[in-house]
Amino acid sequence: MIIAGVNSARGGGVALICGDRLTLGATGDVDDARVLRQLLANSGHTPVDVDEWAQPGTPASQGVGLASATAVAYPRSECRLAAAWCTSPFAASGERATVVVWDTDAAALAYAVDADGRYARIDAEPFDTVPELGDRLRTAGDGGPMNLCLTGDRALDVTLSSAIRTLPEVKALWVPPFPDVTGDAAGAAALHLAHCRTRAATDAGDPADPVLPGLAWRLRSGTVPARPVHVPAGWTVSPCRPEELARMLVRGGRPVVFINGPAKLGPYALGSRSILAPATSGDARARLGALRGDPTGTTVTALCLERDVPDVFAPGIPDPYVRFEHRLRDEWADRLPGLADGGPGPLRVQTVSMDDDPTLSTVVREYHKWSGIPALCATDAVPADTGPLADVAAALSWGGLDLVWSDNILYRANRQEPPR
C-alpha cells in the first residue's frame, strides 16, 4: 500500500509511505497539482500510484487539487506525535516512550506510547516550563527515567531541548529532524496507515486500537537537484571532487554554495543545500548571516565531524539534526574566530559522519587535514532576496556568490566586480 500525506501549510509538502518505509518527504505547494506531480515523480511515482491520501488539519474537499482523491484529515498534534514516534529509535527497538508535542500556539500535550505503538493522551495539567515538564513526567512515569520524544515547533529551540535532555526524568531523548510543519505530512500518512490496518483487522473480526508503525526512513528523502540545462554566460565549469573543494576552501577562504544530492527531511538543509565558509575568518558568521538577512549570524551553524566534536565543543555530543546547544571550548576561540565572534554564548552545531553524509564528511575531514581546523561555518542556502536555492540553476541565477559546487562539478563566475 502507498499512502501519501499532504500538507498545504507553508513549509509543508508531501510524504510517501510505501509499506513500512518513508520514501519521500518534500516541500512544495501541493495545492498545485502540477507541483504535486513533480514532487511525487522524484520518488518514481504518480498520483495514480497512491492508494490512500491523508492530511493534517481540516479535510480537503478535493484532495489538495486532485479531483480523484480525497484526503482523510487528522488532528495536527497527533500527526506530530506520529511523525516523532514512528521515526524514533524507540519504535525501532520496541520500547515504550512518552511523546511531548510542544507548539508555540497551543498547550503542550503528552502522549504515552507502548512498545507496540498503541498510544493514549496523558491527562495532566498544562505546562509551559521545563521544570513543570519534569513534574508531569515524574507523575506520569513509574518512578524511573523514561524515553522521551520531543516534537512541535518548540523542539527547534536548541536551548529548550538541551534543558530537557538533562532532566533526571529523561533516560533518552529523541528530537526528530522534522518536528514542525515539515513533518506533518509524514505524520498524517503514518496515522492513516495505522487506521487502515485497524480497519482491515476490524473487517476481519479482530477489532483493535490503532497501532503506530515503526518506519524505516532516510534523512535524504527529498527532491533530487536537476543539473542546469545550460550554464549562463560568465560562468565556467570544471571537475572538482570533495577533496579538491576542501583544499580550495583552505587556499581561498571564499564561501561556496554547496548543492549535494537529495534534499533532507525537515526545516534545515545543511549538507544538502548549504553555503560553506571557513571559520578562520572573523567576519565569516556575519557575512553568511547577511546573505540570509540575518546580520547577527544566528542562522550560522558549525560543521564538525562527529569524532572531533567533543574536543572542540561542549558538551560535544553527536548532533546530526542541530537540536542542542553547544559552546566553543576556550582553547579553540582564537583559531575559530568565525564561530567565536558572537561571544561565549551557545552555538548551533551539526555533527557529520561518513555513515550519514559521506560527501560533506569528506569535505570537513579534508579541510581539517590540510588546515588543522576541524570545523567549518555553514548556513542553509536560503538567500533573503530569492528564497531557497533548490538546484544549481537557481544558485547561478542568484549570483550572490561566485562559487557553486554540485555533484563533483565546480561552477565559477568570471567577473571583475564582486558578487552583490
Side-chain angles (χ1 to χ4, degrees):
M1 175 185 289
I2 297 178
I3 297 177
V6 286
N7 184 12
S8 299
R10 182 179 180 183
V14 60
L16 281 186
I17 292 179
C18 303
D20 285 311
R21 181 175 293 275
L22 177 63
T23 61
L24 173 69
T27 59
D29 180 10
V30 294
D31 285 328
D32 185 330
R34 180 185 59 84
V35 172
L36 180 56
R37 289 189 179 93
Q38 289 175 342
L39 295 176
L40 292 175
N42 263 270
S43 62
H45 293 288
T46 69
V48 176
D49 299 327
V50 177
D51 299 298
E52 300 277 348
W53 299 82
Q55 71 170 35
T58 57
S61 58
Q62 294 296 330
V64 290
L66 295 176
S68 61
T70 300
V72 179
Y74 294 95
R76 193 171 297 275
S77 62
E78 292 192 25
C79 292
R80 296 192 175 180
L81 149 75
W85 193 85
C86 294
T87 59
S88 72
F90 316 128
S93 60
E95 299 178 66
R96 62 179 180 171
T98 298
V99 180
V100 171
V101 182
W102 201 339
D103 287 307
T104 55
D105 60 353
L109 303 174
Y111 296 84
V113 186
D114 69 16
D116 295 322
R118 284 180 289 268
Y119 64 96
R121 170 87 178 276
I122 296 175
D123 187 15
E125 291 295 321
F127 57 87
D128 57 14
T129 68
V130 173
E132 288 175 337
L133 170 59
D135 292 340
R136 303 298 178 267
L137 295 177
R138 191 161 51 251
T139 301
D142 57 6
M146 63 182 65
N147 297 322
L148 180 68
C149 300
L150 176 66
T151 186
D153 55 35
R154 289 291 306 277
L156 299 175
D157 181 344
V158 295
T159 300
L160 179 73
S161 55
S162 294
I164 291 174
R165 187 182 71 86
T166 62
L167 285 173
E169 294 81 13
V170 175
K171 179 172 69 173
L173 177 63
W174 165 249
V175 186
F178 39 80
D180 62 342
V181 66
T182 55
D184 289 353
L191 275 175
H192 195 57
L193 176 59
H195 282 267
C196 285
R197 290 178 172 175
T198 300
R199 185 175 62 211
T202 300
D203 291 345
D206 186 19
D209 295 326
V211 174
L212 295 174
L215 296 175
W217 61 284
R218 293 182 299 108
L219 183 62
R220 290 177 173 272
S221 295
T223 54
V224 178
R227 283 194 177 185
V229 176
H230 70 278
V231 177
W235 290 85
T236 60
V237 180
S238 60
C240 182
R241 295 179 295 112
E243 294 86 348
E244 295 170 306
L245 175 62
R247 290 193 287 274
M248 187 184 71
L249 286 167
V250 174
R251 293 193 303 267
R254 293 149 64 194
V256 57
V257 179
F258 187 74
I259 309 290
N260 175 31
K264 291 183 176 182
L265 299 172
Y268 297 133
L270 293 175
S272 60
R273 312 287 183 269
S274 316
I275 299 173
L276 309 181
T280 51
S281 172
D283 66 350
R285 198 169 179 181
R287 185 177 182 187
L288 293 190
L291 296 174
R292 295 285 309 275
D294 167 32
T296 63
T298 57
T299 55
V300 175
T301 297
L303 296 178
C304 187
L305 291 179
E306 185 176 301
R307 73 184 186 195
D308 294 329
V309 73
D311 298 328
V312 185
F313 301 95
I317 58 173
D319 197 356
Y321 311 134
V322 196
R323 289 294 172 260
F324 306 105
E325 65 180 14
H326 302 254
R327 294 178 184 272
L328 188 63
R329 295 192 183 277
D330 292 343
E331 57 268 32
W332 284 99
D334 291 340
R335 301 185 68 188
L336 294 171
L339 295 173
D341 70 347
L347 290 167
R348 291 155 36 107
V349 173
Q350 177 177 310
T351 57
V352 294
S353 68
M354 291 298 290
D355 289 338
D356 59 30
D357 200 328
T359 301
L360 185 60
S361 294
T362 298
V363 174
V364 178
R365 183 196 68 215
E366 291 296 303
Y367 182 82
H368 187 189
K369 172 183 174 181
W370 291 100
S371 70
I373 302 298
L376 288 167
C377 286
T379 191
D380 294 338
V382 187
D385 53 348
T386 65
L389 303 179
D391 51 31
V392 171
L396 301 183
S397 176
W398 170 54
L401 293 174
D402 56 12
L403 296 174
V404 176
W405 185 93
S406 180
D407 195 20
N408 294 318
I409 296 175
L410 181 69
Y411 303 81
R412 188 192 303 265
N414 296 324
R415 52 191 172 196
Q416 298 301 318
E417 70 279 7
R420 57 184 173 85

Short mmCIF file of all heavy atoms in Angstrom, two decimals, residues 44-94:
data_model
loop_
_atom_site.label_atom_id
_atom_site.label_comp_id
_atom_site.label_asym_id
_atom_site.label_seq_id
_atom_site.Cartn_x
_atom_site.Cartn_y
_atom_site.Cartn_z
N GLY A 44 9.69 8.38 -8.20
CA GLY A 44 9.28 7.44 -9.22
C GLY A 44 7.80 7.10 -9.22
O GLY A 44 7.41 6.04 -9.71
N HIS A 45 6.96 7.99 -8.67
CA HIS A 45 5.54 7.72 -8.57
C HIS A 45 4.72 8.82 -9.24
O HIS A 45 5.22 9.92 -9.51
CB HIS A 45 5.11 7.60 -7.10
CG HIS A 45 5.68 6.41 -6.41
ND1 HIS A 45 5.26 5.13 -6.65
CD2 HIS A 45 6.67 6.30 -5.47
CE1 HIS A 45 5.94 4.28 -5.89
NE2 HIS A 45 6.80 4.97 -5.17
N THR A 46 3.48 8.50 -9.50
CA THR A 46 2.50 9.45 -9.99
C THR A 46 1.31 9.42 -9.03
O THR A 46 1.18 8.48 -8.23
CB THR A 46 2.01 9.09 -11.40
OG1 THR A 46 1.21 7.89 -11.33
CG2 THR A 46 3.19 8.87 -12.35
N PRO A 47 0.41 10.40 -9.09
CA PRO A 47 -0.76 10.36 -8.22
C PRO A 47 -1.59 9.10 -8.36
O PRO A 47 -2.23 8.65 -7.41
CB PRO A 47 -1.54 11.61 -8.64
CG PRO A 47 -0.50 12.55 -9.14
CD PRO A 47 0.51 11.67 -9.84
N VAL A 48 -1.58 8.50 -9.54
CA VAL A 48 -2.37 7.28 -9.76
C VAL A 48 -1.85 6.13 -8.91
O VAL A 48 -2.61 5.23 -8.52
CB VAL A 48 -2.34 6.91 -11.26
CG1 VAL A 48 -3.08 5.59 -11.51
CG2 VAL A 48 -2.96 8.02 -12.10
N ASP A 49 -0.55 6.15 -8.56
CA ASP A 49 0.03 5.07 -7.76
C ASP A 49 -0.41 5.10 -6.31
O ASP A 49 -0.28 4.11 -5.59
CB ASP A 49 1.56 5.15 -7.80
CG ASP A 49 2.12 5.01 -9.20
OD1 ASP A 49 1.53 4.28 -10.00
OD2 ASP A 49 3.16 5.65 -9.48
N VAL A 50 -0.92 6.26 -5.85
CA VAL A 50 -1.26 6.42 -4.44
C VAL A 50 -2.58 5.74 -4.12
O VAL A 50 -3.59 5.98 -4.78
CB VAL A 50 -1.33 7.93 -4.08
CG1 VAL A 50 -1.75 8.10 -2.63
CG2 VAL A 50 0.02 8.59 -4.32
N ASP A 51 -2.57 4.88 -3.11
CA ASP A 51 -3.78 4.16 -2.71
C ASP A 51 -4.64 4.98 -1.76
O ASP A 51 -5.87 4.89 -1.81
CB ASP A 51 -3.40 2.83 -2.03
CG ASP A 51 -2.62 1.91 -2.94
OD1 ASP A 51 -3.18 1.51 -3.97
OD2 ASP A 51 -1.45 1.60 -2.64
N GLU A 52 -4.01 5.73 -0.86
CA GLU A 52 -4.74 6.49 0.15
C GLU A 52 -4.06 7.85 0.33
O GLU A 52 -2.84 7.96 0.22
CB GLU A 52 -4.76 5.75 1.50
CG GLU A 52 -5.41 4.38 1.48
CD GLU A 52 -6.93 4.45 1.60
OE1 GLU A 52 -7.45 5.53 1.92
OE2 GLU A 52 -7.58 3.41 1.37
N TRP A 53 -4.89 8.87 0.65
CA TRP A 53 -4.39 10.22 0.90
C TRP A 53 -4.77 10.65 2.31
O TRP A 53 -5.85 10.34 2.79
CB TRP A 53 -4.97 11.21 -0.10
CG TRP A 53 -4.63 10.93 -1.54
CD1 TRP A 53 -5.24 10.04 -2.35
CD2 TRP A 53 -3.59 11.53 -2.30
NE1 TRP A 53 -4.65 10.05 -3.60
CE2 TRP A 53 -3.64 10.96 -3.60
CE3 TRP A 53 -2.63 12.51 -2.03
CZ2 TRP A 53 -2.76 11.33 -4.61
CZ3 TRP A 53 -1.75 12.89 -3.05
CH2 TRP A 53 -1.82 12.30 -4.32
N ALA A 54 -3.87 11.37 2.96
CA ALA A 54 -4.15 11.86 4.31
C ALA A 54 -3.53 13.24 4.46
O ALA A 54 -2.58 13.59 3.75
CB ALA A 54 -3.58 10.91 5.36
N GLN A 55 -4.07 14.01 5.41
CA GLN A 55 -3.51 15.35 5.65
C GLN A 55 -3.75 15.77 7.09
O GLN A 55 -4.67 15.28 7.75
CB GLN A 55 -4.11 16.37 4.70
CG GLN A 55 -5.57 16.71 5.00
CD GLN A 55 -6.04 17.90 4.17
OE1 GLN A 55 -5.63 18.08 3.04
NE2 GLN A 55 -6.90 18.71 4.74
N PRO A 56 -2.92 16.67 7.60
CA PRO A 56 -3.17 17.24 8.92
C PRO A 56 -4.18 18.36 8.83
O PRO A 56 -4.30 19.04 7.81
CB PRO A 56 -1.80 17.78 9.33
CG PRO A 56 -1.15 18.14 8.02
CD PRO A 56 -1.66 17.15 7.03
N GLY A 57 -4.93 18.56 9.90
CA GLY A 57 -5.84 19.69 9.94
C GLY A 57 -7.20 19.41 9.34
O GLY A 57 -7.70 18.30 9.40
N THR A 58 -7.80 20.42 8.72
CA THR A 58 -9.17 20.30 8.20
C THR A 58 -9.21 19.48 6.93
O THR A 58 -8.24 19.45 6.16
CB THR A 58 -9.74 21.69 7.92
OG1 THR A 58 -8.89 22.37 7.00
CG2 THR A 58 -9.85 22.50 9.20
N PRO A 59 -10.33 18.81 6.68
CA PRO A 59 -10.43 17.97 5.48
C PRO A 59 -10.31 18.77 4.20
O PRO A 59 -10.67 19.93 4.13
CB PRO A 59 -11.81 17.34 5.61
CG PRO A 59 -12.18 17.48 7.03
CD PRO A 59 -11.52 18.74 7.53
N ALA A 60 -9.78 18.15 3.18
CA ALA A 60 -9.71 18.75 1.84
C ALA A 60 -10.88 18.25 1.02
O ALA A 60 -11.12 17.05 0.94
CB ALA A 60 -8.39 18.39 1.16
N SER A 61 -11.61 19.14 0.41
CA SER A 61 -12.80 18.72 -0.34
C SER A 61 -12.43 17.98 -1.62
O SER A 61 -13.16 17.11 -2.07
CB SER A 61 -13.64 19.96 -0.69
OG SER A 61 -12.87 20.88 -1.45
N GLN A 62 -11.27 18.31 -2.20
CA GLN A 62 -10.89 17.65 -3.44
C GLN A 62 -9.48 17.06 -3.38
O GLN A 62 -8.82 16.94 -4.40
CB GLN A 62 -10.99 18.64 -4.62
CG GLN A 62 -12.41 19.10 -4.93
CD GLN A 62 -13.28 17.94 -5.38
OE1 GLN A 62 -12.79 16.99 -5.98
NE2 GLN A 62 -14.58 18.01 -5.08
N GLY A 63 -9.04 16.76 -2.19
CA GLY A 63 -7.74 16.09 -2.10
C GLY A 63 -6.60 16.92 -2.64
O GLY A 63 -5.94 16.52 -3.58
N VAL A 64 -6.39 18.10 -2.09
CA VAL A 64 -5.33 19.02 -2.47
C VAL A 64 -5.18 19.18 -3.97
O VAL A 64 -4.12 19.00 -4.54
CB VAL A 64 -3.97 18.65 -1.83
CG1 VAL A 64 -3.96 18.88 -0.35
CG2 VAL A 64 -3.59 17.21 -2.14
N GLY A 65 -6.29 19.51 -4.60
CA GLY A 65 -6.24 19.84 -6.01
C GLY A 65 -6.37 18.65 -6.94
O GLY A 65 -6.41 18.82 -8.15
N LEU A 66 -6.41 17.43 -6.41
CA LEU A 66 -6.59 16.26 -7.26
C LEU A 66 -8.03 15.80 -7.14
O LEU A 66 -8.44 15.28 -6.10
CB LEU A 66 -5.63 15.14 -6.83
CG LEU A 66 -4.14 15.45 -7.03
CD1 LEU A 66 -3.31 14.31 -6.48
CD2 LEU A 66 -3.82 15.68 -8.48
N ALA A 67 -8.81 15.99 -8.18
CA ALA A 67 -10.25 15.72 -8.11
C ALA A 67 -10.55 14.25 -7.84
O ALA A 67 -11.62 13.92 -7.33
CB ALA A 67 -10.91 16.16 -9.41
N SER A 68 -9.59 13.38 -8.15
CA SER A 68 -9.86 11.95 -7.99
C SER A 68 -9.52 11.45 -6.60
O SER A 68 -9.69 10.26 -6.31
CB SER A 68 -9.05 11.15 -9.02
OG SER A 68 -7.67 11.38 -8.82
N ALA A 69 -9.02 12.31 -5.72
CA ALA A 69 -8.58 11.85 -4.41
C ALA A 69 -9.19 12.70 -3.32
O ALA A 69 -9.35 13.90 -3.47
CB ALA A 69 -7.05 11.90 -4.32
N THR A 70 -9.52 12.09 -2.22
CA THR A 70 -10.00 12.81 -1.04
C THR A 70 -9.10 12.45 0.13
O THR A 70 -8.97 11.29 0.49
CB THR A 70 -11.46 12.42 -0.72
OG1 THR A 70 -12.28 12.74 -1.84
CG2 THR A 70 -11.95 13.18 0.49
N ALA A 71 -8.50 13.46 0.72
CA ALA A 71 -7.56 13.22 1.81
C ALA A 71 -8.30 13.14 3.14
O ALA A 71 -9.12 13.99 3.46
CB ALA A 71 -6.52 14.34 1.86
N VAL A 72 -8.02 12.10 3.92
CA VAL A 72 -8.57 11.96 5.26
C VAL A 72 -7.76 12.86 6.20
O VAL A 72 -6.53 12.88 6.15
CB VAL A 72 -8.50 10.50 5.73
CG1 VAL A 72 -9.04 10.36 7.15
CG2 VAL A 72 -9.26 9.61 4.77
N ALA A 73 -8.45 13.62 7.05
CA ALA A 73 -7.78 14.59 7.92
C ALA A 73 -7.60 14.05 9.32
O ALA A 73 -8.47 13.34 9.85
CB ALA A 73 -8.57 15.90 7.96
N TYR A 74 -6.46 14.40 9.94
CA TYR A 74 -6.15 14.00 11.31
C TYR A 74 -5.70 15.23 12.09
O TYR A 74 -5.11 16.16 11.52
CB TYR A 74 -5.05 12.95 11.32
CG TYR A 74 -5.47 11.64 10.69
CD1 TYR A 74 -5.21 11.38 9.34
CD2 TYR A 74 -6.16 10.69 11.44
CE1 TYR A 74 -5.61 10.19 8.76
CE2 TYR A 74 -6.56 9.49 10.86
CZ TYR A 74 -6.30 9.25 9.53
OH TYR A 74 -6.71 8.07 8.96
N PRO A 75 -5.95 15.26 13.41
CA PRO A 75 -5.51 16.41 14.22
C PRO A 75 -4.00 16.63 14.09
O PRO A 75 -3.22 15.68 14.12
CB PRO A 75 -5.89 16.00 15.65
CG PRO A 75 -6.98 14.99 15.48
CD PRO A 75 -6.67 14.25 14.22
N ARG A 76 -3.61 17.90 13.98
CA ARG A 76 -2.20 18.21 13.75
C ARG A 76 -1.32 17.70 14.89
O ARG A 76 -0.20 17.23 14.67
CB ARG A 76 -2.03 19.72 13.57
CG ARG A 76 -0.66 20.11 13.03
CD ARG A 76 -0.63 21.58 12.66
NE ARG A 76 -1.56 21.91 11.60
CZ ARG A 76 -1.31 21.77 10.30
NH1 ARG A 76 -0.14 21.29 9.92
NH2 ARG A 76 -2.21 22.10 9.41
N SER A 77 -1.81 17.78 16.13
CA SER A 77 -1.00 17.32 17.25
C SER A 77 -0.71 15.83 17.14
O SER A 77 0.39 15.36 17.45
CB SER A 77 -1.68 17.64 18.58
OG SER A 77 -2.93 16.97 18.68
N GLU A 78 -1.72 15.05 16.69
CA GLU A 78 -1.50 13.61 16.54
C GLU A 78 -0.58 13.31 15.36
O GLU A 78 0.17 12.33 15.38
CB GLU A 78 -2.83 12.88 16.39
CG GLU A 78 -3.67 12.91 17.66
CD GLU A 78 -4.85 11.96 17.61
OE1 GLU A 78 -4.80 10.97 16.86
OE2 GLU A 78 -5.83 12.22 18.32
N CYS A 79 -0.61 14.16 14.34
CA CYS A 79 0.33 13.99 13.23
C CYS A 79 1.76 14.18 13.71
O CYS A 79 2.67 13.43 13.32
CB CYS A 79 0.01 14.98 12.11
SG CYS A 79 -1.56 14.67 11.26
N ARG A 80 1.99 15.16 14.59
CA ARG A 80 3.34 15.38 15.10
C ARG A 80 3.76 14.27 16.05
O ARG A 80 4.93 13.86 16.07
CB ARG A 80 3.42 16.76 15.75
CG ARG A 80 3.19 17.85 14.73
CD ARG A 80 3.49 19.25 15.16
NE ARG A 80 3.32 20.12 14.00
CZ ARG A 80 3.50 21.43 13.99
NH1 ARG A 80 3.89 22.03 15.11
NH2 ARG A 80 3.32 22.13 12.90
N LEU A 81 2.81 13.77 16.84
CA LEU A 81 3.07 12.59 17.66
C LEU A 81 3.54 11.43 16.80
O LEU A 81 4.56 10.78 17.08
CB LEU A 81 1.80 12.21 18.42
CG LEU A 81 1.55 10.74 18.76
CD1 LEU A 81 2.45 10.30 19.90
CD2 LEU A 81 0.10 10.48 19.09
N ALA A 82 2.80 11.16 15.72
CA ALA A 82 3.11 10.01 14.88
C ALA A 82 4.44 10.18 14.17
O ALA A 82 5.25 9.24 14.09
CB ALA A 82 1.99 9.80 13.86
N ALA A 83 4.71 11.37 13.63
CA ALA A 83 5.98 11.60 12.93
C ALA A 83 7.16 11.40 13.85
O ALA A 83 8.21 10.87 13.44
CB ALA A 83 5.99 13.00 12.32
N ALA A 84 7.01 11.81 15.11
CA ALA A 84 8.12 11.67 16.06
C ALA A 84 8.32 10.22 16.47
O ALA A 84 9.45 9.69 16.40
CB ALA A 84 7.85 12.54 17.29
N TRP A 85 7.25 9.56 16.92
CA TRP A 85 7.43 8.20 17.45
C TRP A 85 7.77 7.20 16.35
O TRP A 85 8.63 6.34 16.53
CB TRP A 85 6.19 7.73 18.20
CG TRP A 85 6.49 6.51 19.01
CD1 TRP A 85 7.02 6.44 20.26
CD2 TRP A 85 6.33 5.14 18.59
NE1 TRP A 85 7.19 5.14 20.65
CE2 TRP A 85 6.78 4.31 19.64
CE3 TRP A 85 5.85 4.54 17.42
CZ2 TRP A 85 6.76 2.92 19.57
CZ3 TRP A 85 5.83 3.16 17.34
CH2 TRP A 85 6.29 2.36 18.41
N CYS A 86 7.12 7.31 15.19
CA CYS A 86 7.32 6.30 14.14
C CYS A 86 8.73 6.31 13.57
O CYS A 86 9.17 5.31 13.01
CB CYS A 86 6.31 6.51 13.02
SG CYS A 86 4.59 6.21 13.51
N THR A 87 9.44 7.44 13.69
CA THR A 87 10.82 7.51 13.20
C THR A 87 11.85 7.41 14.32
O THR A 87 13.05 7.53 14.07
CB THR A 87 11.04 8.84 12.46
OG1 THR A 87 10.77 9.94 13.35
CG2 THR A 87 10.13 8.95 11.25
N SER A 88 11.39 7.17 15.54
CA SER A 88 12.29 7.20 16.70
C SER A 88 13.05 5.88 16.86
O SER A 88 12.62 4.83 16.39
CB SER A 88 11.49 7.47 17.97
OG SER A 88 10.72 6.33 18.34
N PRO A 89 14.17 5.92 17.57
CA PRO A 89 14.87 4.66 17.90
C PRO A 89 14.05 3.78 18.82
O PRO A 89 14.25 2.56 18.87
CB PRO A 89 16.16 5.13 18.57
CG PRO A 89 15.87 6.51 19.05
CD PRO A 89 14.90 7.10 18.08
N PHE A 90 13.08 4.35 19.56
CA PHE A 90 12.25 3.57 20.47
C PHE A 90 11.28 2.69 19.68
O PHE A 90 11.05 1.53 20.04
CB PHE A 90 11.49 4.48 21.42
CG PHE A 90 12.33 5.59 21.99
CD1 PHE A 90 11.93 6.91 21.94
CD2 PHE A 90 13.55 5.30 22.57
CE1 PHE A 90 12.71 7.93 22.45
CE2 PHE A 90 14.36 6.31 23.09
CZ PHE A 90 13.93 7.63 23.03
N ALA A 91 10.74 3.24 18.59
CA ALA A 91 9.88 2.43 17.73
C ALA A 91 10.68 1.30 17.09
O ALA A 91 10.20 0.17 16.97
CB ALA A 91 9.23 3.30 16.66
N ALA A 92 11.91 1.62 16.67
CA ALA A 92 12.74 0.62 16.01
C ALA A 92 13.12 -0.52 16.94
O ALA A 92 13.23 -1.68 16.51
CB ALA A 92 14.00 1.28 15.45
N SER A 93 13.31 -0.21 18.22
CA SER A 93 13.74 -1.24 19.17
C SER A 93 12.60 -1.80 20.01
O SER A 93 12.82 -2.67 20.86
CB SER A 93 14.82 -0.67 20.11
OG SER A 93 14.32 0.45 20.83
N GLY A 94 11.36 -1.33 19.76
CA GLY A 94 10.20 -1.84 20.51
C GLY A 94 10.20 -1.43 21.96
O GLY A 94 9.97 -2.26 22.84
#
